[in-house]
Amino acid sequence: MSDDLLLSLLWLIPLAGAAVVLFIPPRAAAAIKGVALGVTIVTFALTLVAYGIYAAPGSLASAPLAERAVRNQLVVDRAGGEVDRAEASQGGESDLVVRRAWIPYFHIEYYLGLDGISLSLAILTAFVAVLACLASWNIDRHVKGYFALFLLLTASMMG
């Protein structure tokens, strides 16, 4: 799995789960709770995949984040003025850093990265989200709104 996909899915899956919960009818409380639990479990599993990449022997992901950020520099095409990602030959793959031009005119980037501390906090956040979802299982009023906002909060914390 590429870094772009993995790091983006860590916050997109809970956000998509919140949208799915909003489309489930309010009377289907069990389905809402099941979707929310499934989304938090998948998010937790993705953090474990990120840990596996980080802890793999010889992994570029265990290098200091500053070094990995240098390998993921954006280069400007002077002729067209477009910003592209650095060449893959510079070693920017499998290092748990995503850096893309988002709004090049204003030099705004989509930039995500995991190092040792942030990875441990992401794993902890995902694990606590699973536990909090299970602890919220007995909620029976405004279930749809609660779990939609819960997944939105999880997406915000993971991002």
Side-chain angles (χ1 to χ4, degrees):
M1 180 179 295
S2 73
D3 295 342
D4 296 359
L5 183 61
L6 177 64
L7 295 178
S8 295
L9 284 178
L10 280 175
W11 67 269
L12 278 175
I13 285 181
L15 186 65
V20 168
V21 164
L22 290 176
F23 285 109
I24 298 174
R27 63 186 175 277
I32 291 170
K33 293 174 184 180
V35 166
L37 181 62
V39 166
T40 55
I41 289 172
V42 168
T43 304
F44 178 60
L46 285 175
T47 59
L48 295 179
V49 169
Y51 176 73
I53 292 171
Y54 182 81
S59 172
L60 295 173
S62 59
L65 188 58
E67 291 176 19
R68 293 184 286 144
V70 169
R71 286 193 295 261
N72 287 279
Q73 291 293 326
L74 296 176
V75 293
V76 178
D77 178 19
R78 297 291 179 203
E82 293 184 18
V83 179
D84 296 321
R85 186 174 182 198
E87 302 282 326
S89 62
Q90 293 179 350
E93 294 297 320
S94 298
D95 60 358
L96 296 178
V97 174
V98 175
R99 193 169 189 177
R100 296 276 189 254
W102 185 17
I103 306 173
Y105 184 77
F106 295 111
H107 304 288
I108 298 174
E109 301 175 358
Y110 175 71
Y111 187 15
L112 299 173
L114 287 175
D115 60 356
I117 294 173
S118 62
L119 179 60
S120 62
L121 291 175
I123 293 170
L124 180 65
T125 299
F127 181 65
V128 169
V130 172
L131 294 179
C133 188
L134 288 172
S136 303
W137 210 257
N138 61 354
I139 290 178
D140 55 359
R141 292 183 51 211
H142 306 290
V143 174
K144 182 176 182 174
Y146 175 83
F147 282 101
L149 290 174
F150 174 78
L151 290 173
L152 182 63
L153 175 68
T154 303
S156 301
M157 291 186 298
M158 295 306 289

